[in-house]
Amino acid sequence: QAVVTQEPSLTVSPGGTVTLTCGSSTGAVTSGHYPYWFQQKPGQAPRTLIYDTSNKHSWTPARFSGSLLGGKAALTLSGAQPEDEAEYYCLLSYSGVYWVFGGGTKLTVL
Amino acid sequence: QVQLQESGPGLVKPSQTLSLTCTVSGGSISSGSYYWSWIRQPAGKGLEWIGRIYTSGSTNYNPSLKSRVTISVDTSKNQFSLKLSSVTAADTAVYYCARTDVWGKGTTVTVSS
């Protein structure tokens, strides 16, 4: 089974920009992995931010964007706010048969 | 808008079968083309995808859990369900149902005698 890797932790200054990445043990992440990004705050259920690499839901703040970068899926936060401090998970699809979550990135806004 | 709610026993004995139900409200589970998933999260750890059922009824499971998992749908009740057999303490977690864009609030299941 594939392993999906994320940075364990990142720190960004308020108003700053940070990029979280999501890699795959099987090779480059492509649009065919249909990358998802989720945000989870302590004690809450996850919330979907990005689907199919770069698509946003109506509730996704405009400061979040998804892309492919250097063989990985990426979530970029531009203009970080204190309320963006959370755990972020990516999810990749493999052969349309199974999904795998990354281990999560704990983002600190400080 | 669509909302999901998990329900089921909060305590399951080792070697028994864990059974959870997700009730969908605000929309029909049969309409559209969606995957309905089960995901779990042990305390203090990351998310683990358990499996999914498509609107058509086809299923896919996490290879590491496949031998113990069954996901089914009851369109008459607008629900889908999870059964996980031969549970151990390692199956203790918060269990979420989700449509990938919408998540339930989660339900805690503890495996203990």
Side-chain angles (χ1 to χ4, degrees):
Chain A
Q1 183 174 350
V3 175
V4 177
T5 56
Q6 297 183 244
E7 298 86 359
S9 63
L10 290 170
T11 300
V12 61
S13 301
T17 296
V18 64
T19 297
L20 290 64
T21 67
C22 175
S24 173
S25 63
T26 62
V29 176
T30 70
S31 59
H33 288 94
Y34 305 100
Y36 281 79
W37 290 94
F38 305 92
Q39 177 192 64
Q40 187 180 33
K41 296 182 178 180
Q44 296 183 16
R47 179 175 73 146
T48 309
L49 294 178
I50 301 288
Y51 64 98
D52 294 352
T53 304
S54 59
N55 293 294
K56 301 179 186 182
H57 288 294
S58 58
W59 55 81
T60 304
R63 58 186 180 275
F64 288 96
S65 62
S67 65
L68 295 176
L69 192 65
K72 296 182 179 182
L75 177 70
T76 299
L77 171 57
S78 302
Q81 301 296 310
E83 61 265 30
D84 298 328
E85 187 160 296
E87 192 86 22
Y88 291 83
Y89 293 93
C90 67
L91 176 73
L92 299 180
S93 173
Y94 287 88
S95 304
V97 173
Y98 69 96
W99 289 341
V100 182
F101 281 98
T105 296
K106 182 177 175 60
L107 182 65
T108 301
V109 181
L110 187 63
Chain B
Q1 71 278 20
V2 171
Q3 293 184 316
L4 307 181
Q5 178 67 58
E6 306 86 353
S7 61
L11 181 64
V12 182
K13 288 181 169 31
S15 80
Q16 293 191 341
T17 296
L18 177 161
S19 296
L20 295 174
T21 297
C22 183
T23 301
V24 180
S25 59
S28 172
I29 199 169
S30 307
S31 64
S33 299
Y34 294 106
Y35 287 112
W36 303 90
S37 290
W38 286 98
I39 295 133
R40 69 182 182 179
Q41 185 173 37
K45 296 188 178 181
L47 300 170
E48 180 179 31
W49 178 72
I50 299 171
R52 69 189 183 192
I53 187 163
Y54 193 54
T55 307
S56 64
S58 64
T59 54
N60 299 110
Y61 300 126
N62 183 325
S64 66
L65 298 170
K66 187 174 183 178
S67 63
R68 298 195 292 133
V69 175
T70 301
I71 296 175
S72 59
V73 64
D74 186 337
T75 55
S76 67
K77 295 182 179 179
N78 225 31
Q79 296 175 334
F80 65 106
S81 299
L82 168 70
K83 290 189 185 298
L84 180 66
S85 64
S86 305
V87 297
T88 69
D91 295 309
T92 295
V94 176
Y95 284 75
Y96 297 100
C97 61
R99 197 181 72 172
T100 65
D101 60 333
V102 180
W103 290 66
K105 293 183 178 181
T107 188
T108 299
V109 178
T110 301
V111 178
S112 175
S113 56

